[in-house]
Amino acid sequence: MKITITCVGRAGRAKHDASQSLIEAYRERLPWPVAIREVEDRKAGGTAAERKAREAALLLAAIPKGAVIIALDERGKSLTSRAFADQLAAWRDHGEQEVAFVIGGADGLDRSVLDRARLTLSLSAMTWPHLLARVMLLEQLYRAWSLQTGHPYHRD
């Protein structure tokens, strides 16, 4: 299964910060190919709704065609690690080739993204910086793989 993480970001952000090191560490552990597609809204200003709409257009354009879309949102469904692993396995077993996770900007995701998502997922009831959300997502993807394969990383 191919994984794409589509997210709002800023070009020129520090590539050698601690979160980037963790992102790369989990990407290297995963046997699934993981692409991170970062989009940037270069237009300044506007209301939160206008920013979210501009970001949504960029995010939706960056999602691979045919991918299962999973929107990360604080109001989304909360899953255990095992339930998350089971959901990924179910999509794989039903022939889904690619899953695209979408992480919005500071104002969250526009309704147009949430409406296209097959699942709206909450990583936590707490709000996390977007770079840490990427790390947490990648860790859970690695954990899901370990649960699916019986790897000892996850112990019940």
Side-chain angles (χ1 to χ4, degrees):
M1 178 178 290
K2 294 179 185 174
I3 306 290
T4 300
I5 299 172
T6 307
C7 47
V8 174
R10 283 188 221 142
R13 143 180 91 68
K15 295 290 183 188
H16 300 289
D17 63 10
S19 61
Q20 189 63 30
S21 295
L22 289 168
I23 288 167
E24 291 309 316
Y26 283 112
R27 280 177 78 180
E28 289 172 9
R29 288 182 186 184
L30 271 166
W32 302 325
V34 178
I36 297 178
R37 296 182 178 180
E38 197 170 64
V39 301
E40 181 180 6
D41 176 16
R42 294 177 186 251
K43 293 184 180 178
T47 65
E50 291 168 337
R51 284 190 302 275
K52 285 181 4 178
R54 289 192 309 261
E55 291 169 354
L58 295 168
L59 289 164
L60 291 170
I63 295 169
K65 293 207 183 301
V68 173
I69 299 172
I70 302 169
L72 272 61
D73 185 273
E74 65 188 4
R75 294 169 299 275
K77 187 174 184 176
S78 180
L79 298 175
T80 65
S81 295
R82 183 164 301 281
F84 180 63
D86 290 346
Q87 181 60 75
L88 289 172
W91 285 327
R92 178 202 62 215
D93 294 347
H94 285 100
E96 299 294 352
Q97 301 284 318
E98 188 153 5
V99 175
F101 293 89
V102 184
I103 302 172
D107 299 309
L109 290 169
D110 187 70
R111 174 61 42 202
S112 62
V113 175
L114 297 171
D115 288 345
R116 296 255 325 259
R118 189 160 324 165
L119 172 66
T120 301
L121 178 67
S122 172
L123 292 177
S124 171
M126 296 179 175
T127 302
W128 292 92
H130 290 94
L131 287 174
L132 287 181
R134 294 180 202 184
V135 173
M136 292 166 57
L137 174 59
L138 282 159
E139 190 282 335
Q140 284 300 299
L141 287 166
Y142 180 69
R143 188 173 297 276
W145 170 82
S146 73
L147 283 161
Q148 291 173 9
T149 61
H151 187 278
Y153 179 76
H154 180 89
R155 291 188 173 88
D156 287 322

